[in-house]
Every structure is written in structure tokens, then in C-alpha cells.
Amino acid sequence: MEETKVLTQRIRPDRSAVWIDDYMDLGGYEALKTTLADYGPAEVGPLIKEAGLRGRGGAGFPTGVKWSFMPRFEDRPDERPAHVYLVVNADEMEPGTFKDRLIMEGDPHQLIEGMIIAAYAIGADTAYVFLRGEYTECRRRLQQAIDEAHAKGFLGENILDSGFSLNLHLHMSAGRYICGEESALLSALEGRRAVPRHKPPFPAASGLFGQPTTVNNVETICNVPHIVKNGADWYKSLGLNKDGGTKLFGASGHVAKPGLAEFPLGVKLGDVLEHFGGIRHGRKLKGLLPGGGSTPFLTPEHLDTPMDYDGVGAAGSRLGTATMVVFDDQTPIVGVLKNLEHFYAQESCGWCTPCRDGLPWVEKMLINLEAGKGQPGDLELLDLHVKLLGPGKTFCAHAPGAMGPLEAGLKYYRDELAALIPDDASNLSRTEAANANPL
Amino acid sequence: MIELSEAEIEGIKHEMSLYEDPGAATIEALKIVQEHRGWVSDEAMAAAAQVVGVTPTQMEAVATFYNLIFRQPVGRHVIMLCDSISCYLTGYEEVRDHLKSTLGIDFGQTTADGRFTLLPICCLGDCDMGPSMRVGEVYHNRLTPERVDEILAEYK
């Protein structure tokens, strides 16, 4: 299947960076000029809303709607707080996810141009890229691109004589998956432990340093210049179903040709898999995580699933970051689950008890199952954890994210897991404990 | 108490200037100290806290939370081996066992000659080329035990 290259149109095969002169030769910063010349700040958001852009970080929240939550101060400059912030979430630590690195390293100005337009649209005067600490090459390229944009007058005071000013800084994280959670990211950016915050208040009301803040994913922001340049109708027409635009899709694990590609939202799962060469070594598909380590498994029965937010949702999973992790029919499911739950147990921030204590317990049970030391009742206890660590039971979405693949694993591969438990009918204590669950 | 170098202090002060609240520079201050000293000792941490204007306790709360802050001395080359799902599916366990036995150390340890420290790291974002590791700031991917031997030989 042919790719539809929008965000990746300038990415070079050798992945060397497109610096500012080449970027401008290829049409870069035209959308910024158009925005500052032809649009009022309040007119950009509705365009993005009309285009149907949804957040590409995993949650899929409509971007234009998110922007509309930001308070506007054009008519009441006296009430304007000291700062209004745009924060780009470039933490990208979900296992299996490697999409933002490609576009930041290969085409860093696309992100910067998108950020300037987005900051203008929400009335921000300061913007941060929150980049994961391991991405040092990305840091070098983004910093060079930021310096280039400054030198050309696209950043700083009075950008292109429009009266609009923006400071843009790069913040390097020091590593923790929880930093990708919107409110935990803000805690980290304030120089504290990355523990999530209660919402409300939402960041638009009280975000970074208590000021109005919007947090958007890298890929989301990279869409913005293209929408401004080509219009909402063009963008909507790219998607095959309800959702507008294209999406970066990735495949890793047991596919023949792992990598990244850009397709319209709504492309069939089977077509994406085929693009990546199908399953390697002539084996068969056993299952896949469609969009990173927190997305419930899909199985061979789901190959016709349209890969957009509603389509993957209807199949019982989430589109997530759309970077799929694929495993073949010779892969023991217990190992896959153990690896995933190890990650979540280790990366719990420890703020709330169900997550801090429950996830290591889950991991330990899976280690025992794999080692043939499982006990009757273990699967029921895992079921119980799926309930007790699920949505609404913990402070943030970390533990529910961990339970997504576990729940799907228990559903689709239950017989395989049950076969790991030694037949010991005399030991029923844990089953009884599970059955006597007072909740 | 030890004193930080001029370069460290300058670096930290520059970071402090980038935020509405200078205290936001705690994480970067720790990283700057680590860049200059290889790791963050109690004394260096207290000195950095003083520059940023937070208490050593506040600094430590941050230092113990983040994966990339080293609170113990590390070897000349820090190996971070990705242990997440895509690498796991493509041969992580074999590479891990080979690294441990070749270096004669477990995760969190440093070789006796001070050459390597071995650490686990979650998803390096190199999923299409797993198994992957970073040595210092350089990514190495599509690892096999043989490939690991070649790579280790590059680092003296």
C-alpha cells in the first residue's frame, strides 16, 4: 500500500535533518507567515477544530477543542497572567513507540513552526519542548533548529513584525515514563517529582506554574502547519473515515520489515501489517499491541479493523500512538505480559497505593506462572487486579494502562495461561481468597 | 561542602533563567553536575541545591526519582540496555545474559576496572531496530551476542 506523506514528506531516506534553508525551500514557514498575516489569534483554533485533528499522543482528544479551553485576554489585557504556556510532550517512553523521534530528528523545523502557530493560537508567550532524556541526538538537532529559527526572526520578540513574541526552550527530562502523563509532565517541568495532579483544575485553567497551559503531543503539533497551509477540507479529506488526516504508523517485533510509515487514518490493520512485510520467517500472527504497551491486544480476527480512533476502539483496544508491537504464533503470551507488567511496575511513580503495590504483585504472579510455579486461582487473582487497578480506581491512567493488555491477554489467551498452572487441586486457598473478594 | 566549578554554576544559572520559577532548574542542575563529575554525590547535590535555591532534601527527592540521575559512581561508559517489549521480542534476554556474563556484573554494577556500568532502561525509542542499547550517548542496535562483543571492544 502506498504511503500518504504529509508529516514525513521532507524526511530523507538517510534521516539526516532538514535544516532551515532546505525547509524553507520546501515550503516551510509559509504557514507561519500566512497565520501571522491573515489570521487573528482566535481564528486559528476553529480552523484546527474544523479539520478534525485529534491528539496523536494516544488519547485522541480533539486539538481545536483543547485549545478553545484556554482563556483569552485580547479584550482584557489587564487580566493577562504573567505567562501563558504551550508545552509539547516529547517524552515518548511508551514501549514500542518511536514515531516522534523520527519527525523531530528528521524535520525539526516542522515541529517548531507548528509550535509557533499553536502558541499564537492559544495566546502563549513561552513554549517548552519536554524531551525525554535519552534522545540526545534529537536534542542536538532540535536545539540547532531553534537557534536557526531565532536567527531568521521566527522566534523571539515581535516575530515577522506581527507584534507576536514567543520564547521557545528545550527541556530535557531525566527519565520516567510517568512524565508523559500531562499533569505529571507539568510537575516535572517545574523541577519536582513527576507525580500526577488532580484534575480539575485542568491545565488550561491552572497548568505550568499555575498559569494557563496547553500540552500537545509532537505529532499533533506537526500537523498544524499543513492544516493552515492546505485548509480544513483538504485535511479532512485525507482520512478514510470520520477522523481527519494521516497518522504515523510503526511496526516492531516480529514483522519482516520493521519501521515507520504514514497512512490515512482509517487504513485497515491488515494493510498496515502487509506494508511492513507481514510476519517474519513465514510464521503466523498471534497478536499485536496496536499502539504501544498500554493498548489491549488485537488478534488475527481483527485484521479488517480500520485504524482510526473509533475503529480500534470498537475492536476493544485503542489506537494509542499507532506504533504497533507484533508477535508471532511461537511467542509465549506469559513472557509478553511479564515484560509489559515489569515495565509498568517499575515505572509507577508510587503516588497511589493500588498502582504502587498492585503492579509488582501482578508482575510477580506472571514471573511465577512463567516459571511453572503458578497456583490454582492465579488467573482469577489477575482478573481481580484488572478490576482493582482499572479506570477510576487509581489517581491517574498509569495502572489502567497496565491493565489494558493484561485484561486482553486473559481474554484471548486464557487457555494458554491456564495450561501453565500445575494441576494441584489441593491448593485452593488463593481461589477461595479471590472468590471471597469483599469488593 | 564542596564548591561547584564556574562552568557548572554558569550552566545552572542559565537553566534557572529559562523558567518563571528558578527552582524548576533542579533536574537540569543535577544533570549538569553529573555531566561534569560523572555522578551526583551528596556534597555536589547540596552545592547544586544552594545555587538553585532549594533545600538539599528537595533536591534529593528529585534526584532519587529520575532514572538518569546517578547517585553512585559509574564506570567510564554507562551501558543502558533496553528491556521493553519490542527488544524483548527480538532477542533481549540472550543479549542481556551475554552482557552480564561477559562483563561479569549484574544490572546496577560496575566492572572492577571501572570501564562499564550496566543499567536497564525502558524503551529507548529504537523499537524497529531492537534489541538496542546505548553506550554513553551512542545507540547500538540489532544486537546479537557477537555484535555486543564487537561494540564493547570499541570502548576502552
Side-chain angles (χ1 to χ4, degrees):
Chain A
M1 187 176 165
E2 278 292 297
E3 289 187 66
T4 305
K5 294 192 175 189
V6 177
L7 305 186
T8 56
Q9 61 183 260
R10 300 184 195 89
I11 305 270
R12 296 175 172 136
D14 68 355
R15 298 194 178 183
S16 60
V18 175
W19 299 119
I20 198 159
D21 290 337
D22 288 342
Y23 182 74
M24 291 178 72
D25 283 348
L26 295 166
Y29 287 111
E30 277 169 25
L32 175 64
K33 289 173 188 163
T34 306
T35 303
L36 296 179
D38 301 345
Y39 290 92
E43 291 167 348
V44 187
L47 176 70
I48 302 299
K49 200 190 273 183
E50 170 64 23
L53 174 63
R54 293 175 68 171
R56 302 296 197 234
F61 192 80
T63 305
V65 176
K66 192 187 242 189
W67 290 3
S68 73
F69 296 153
M70 291 292 277
R72 304 226 65 107
F73 299 99
E74 284 89 5
D75 301 332
R76 41 189 185 117
D78 295 350
E79 294 171 38
R80 198 185 151 82
H83 294 287
V84 174
Y85 293 108
L86 169 72
V87 178
V88 164
N89 185 344
D91 196 51
E92 188 156 82
M93 267 179 93
E94 177 124 338
T97 301
F98 54 107
K99 65 183 181 72
D100 293 340
R101 186 176 151 213
L102 172 90
I103 44 180
M104 286 189 287
E105 288 184 359
D107 195 0
H109 281 287
Q110 182 175 233
L111 174 63
I112 294 168
E113 184 179 10
M115 285 179 72
I116 305 167
I117 298 170
Y120 178 73
I122 62 170
D125 63 294
T126 306
Y128 293 96
V129 179
F130 186 97
L131 181 64
R132 67 173 297 188
E134 290 85 355
Y135 280 4
T136 43
E137 181 57 30
C138 206
R139 171 193 211 166
R140 277 188 281 274
R141 296 189 188 188
L142 273 179
Q143 191 58 58
Q144 180 172 334
I146 290 167
D147 294 343
E148 287 180 344
H150 249 291
K152 287 262 197 245
F154 297 139
L155 284 172
E157 295 298 311
N158 192 20
I159 296 167
L160 303 175
D161 285 326
S162 64
F164 172 64
S165 301
L166 179 69
N167 288 312
L168 194 160
H169 306 297
L170 186 53
H171 172 98
M172 290 299 278
S173 175
R176 277 311 281 266
Y177 172 64
I178 195 66
C179 293
E181 198 275 342
E182 182 180 72
S183 66
L185 184 151
L186 296 175
S187 299
L189 204 44
E190 290 176 359
R192 299 185 286 111
R193 284 187 164 223
V195 288
R197 304 174 181 183
H198 187 270
K199 295 188 235 181
F202 288 91
S206 175
L208 188 62
F209 303 113
Q211 315 282 15
T213 304
T214 289
V215 182
N216 285 135
N217 168 261
V218 170
E219 187 185 345
T220 311
I221 290 293
C222 286
N223 277 283
V224 169
H226 301 285
I227 295 171
V228 170
K229 208 163 149 186
N230 300 298
D233 288 338
W234 166 83
Y235 193 77
K236 271 192 288 193
S237 73
L238 290 173
L240 300 178
N241 297 320
K242 205 179 87 190
D243 296 318
T246 59
K247 177 81 193 71
L248 293 176
F249 286 90
S252 64
H254 296 159
V255 288
K257 291 185 283 182
L260 280 159
E262 187 173 3
F263 294 113
L265 274 169
V267 59
K268 290 267 182 352
L269 172 58
D271 291 340
V272 179
L273 267 181
E274 203 181 299
H275 175 87
F276 294 111
I279 308 304
R280 68 179 196 183
H281 306 325
R283 290 182 190 156
K284 290 196 169 60
L285 172 70
K286 177 168 181 170
L288 57 88
L289 301 155
S294 68
T295 53
F297 299 112
L298 295 180
T299 63
E301 70 187 82
H302 296 116
L303 288 176
D304 285 334
T305 302
M307 297 299 284
D308 52 34
Y309 298 94
D310 293 347
V312 185
S317 186
R318 287 186 298 112
L319 182 67
T321 58
T323 44
M324 55 185 71
V325 181
V326 182
F327 52 101
D328 67 25
D329 53 356
Q330 296 188 17
T331 313
I333 191 65
V334 68
V336 174
L337 290 173
K338 179 198 69 176
N339 178 276
L340 291 168
E341 299 308 328
H342 167 73
F343 167 79
Y344 283 100
Q346 185 170 272
E347 290 300 315
S348 169
C349 79
W351 184 248
C352 70
T353 310
C355 181
R356 183 185 61 237
D357 289 356
L359 291 174
W361 192 356
V362 167
E363 184 196 354
K364 207 173 276 181
M365 290 175 76
L366 290 164
I367 290 171
N368 285 338
L369 271 180
E370 190 182 40
K373 294 180 196 158
Q375 295 184 38
D378 272 3
L379 299 193
E380 290 73 18
L381 265 182
L382 287 171
D383 289 335
L384 190 59
H385 277 81
V386 167
K387 273 189 215 145
L388 296 178
L389 301 181
K393 300 291 200 302
T394 56
F395 199 78
C396 80
H398 181 87
M403 293 302 106
L406 181 64
E407 181 177 20
L410 287 161
K411 176 178 162 194
Y412 292 122
Y413 310 108
R414 198 169 189 93
D415 291 348
E416 184 185 328
L417 291 167
L420 295 169
I421 299 171
D423 193 16
D424 181 7
S426 64
N427 185 355
L428 288 175
S429 57
R430 296 178 83 175
T431 316
E432 284 160 9
N435 289 341
N437 162 35
L439 301 167
Chain B
M1 193 167 100
I2 60 164
E3 295 216 348
L4 299 184
S5 70
E6 234 168 76
E8 285 168 303
I9 293 170
E10 239 172 68
I12 294 171
K13 288 200 165 152
H14 170 71
E15 283 300 320
M16 290 164 67
S17 73
L18 304 182
Y19 302 90
E20 185 178 336
D21 174 356
T26 47
I27 296 168
E28 199 54 40
L30 288 161
K31 289 168 78 180
I32 288 168
V33 167
Q34 184 164 293
E35 244 166 62
H36 284 81
R37 295 160 193 266
W39 66 292
V40 184
S41 66
D42 287 349
E43 294 77 17
M45 193 177 67
Q50 201 170 40
V51 177
V52 178
V54 297
T55 66
T57 314
Q58 283 173 309
M59 203 69 150
E60 179 148 29
V62 172
T64 51
F65 186 84
Y66 292 98
N67 298 337
L68 300 179
I69 305 298
F70 308 143
R71 292 285 280 116
Q72 289 175 35
V74 291
R76 287 199 296 286
H77 310 291
V78 176
I79 301 174
M80 295 178 181
L81 179 65
C82 177
D83 65 5
S84 289
I85 187 70
S86 304
C87 290
Y88 171 82
L89 288 171
T90 48
Y92 155 78
E93 288 179 325
E94 196 188 359
V95 171
R96 173 199 64 196
D97 294 347
H98 184 75
L99 264 172
K100 283 185 181 180
S101 66
T102 305
L103 298 173
I105 53 174
D106 206 340
F107 281 128
Q109 297 178 340
T110 300
T111 53
D113 60 3
R115 208 167 134 211
F116 293 110
T117 296
L118 181 62
L119 297 174
I121 192 93
C122 33
C123 193
L124 281 173
D126 204 26
C127 315
D128 53 338
M129 303 215 249
S132 290
M133 66 178 182
R134 264 182 54 152
V135 184
E137 290 196 355
V138 182
Y139 276 66
H140 299 277
N141 41 42
R142 301 212 164 101
L143 298 175
T144 58
E146 299 73 39
R147 183 88 190 95
V148 165
D149 290 339
E150 289 166 21
I151 294 162
L152 292 182
E154 291 170 27
Y155 293 88
K156 299 297 170 201

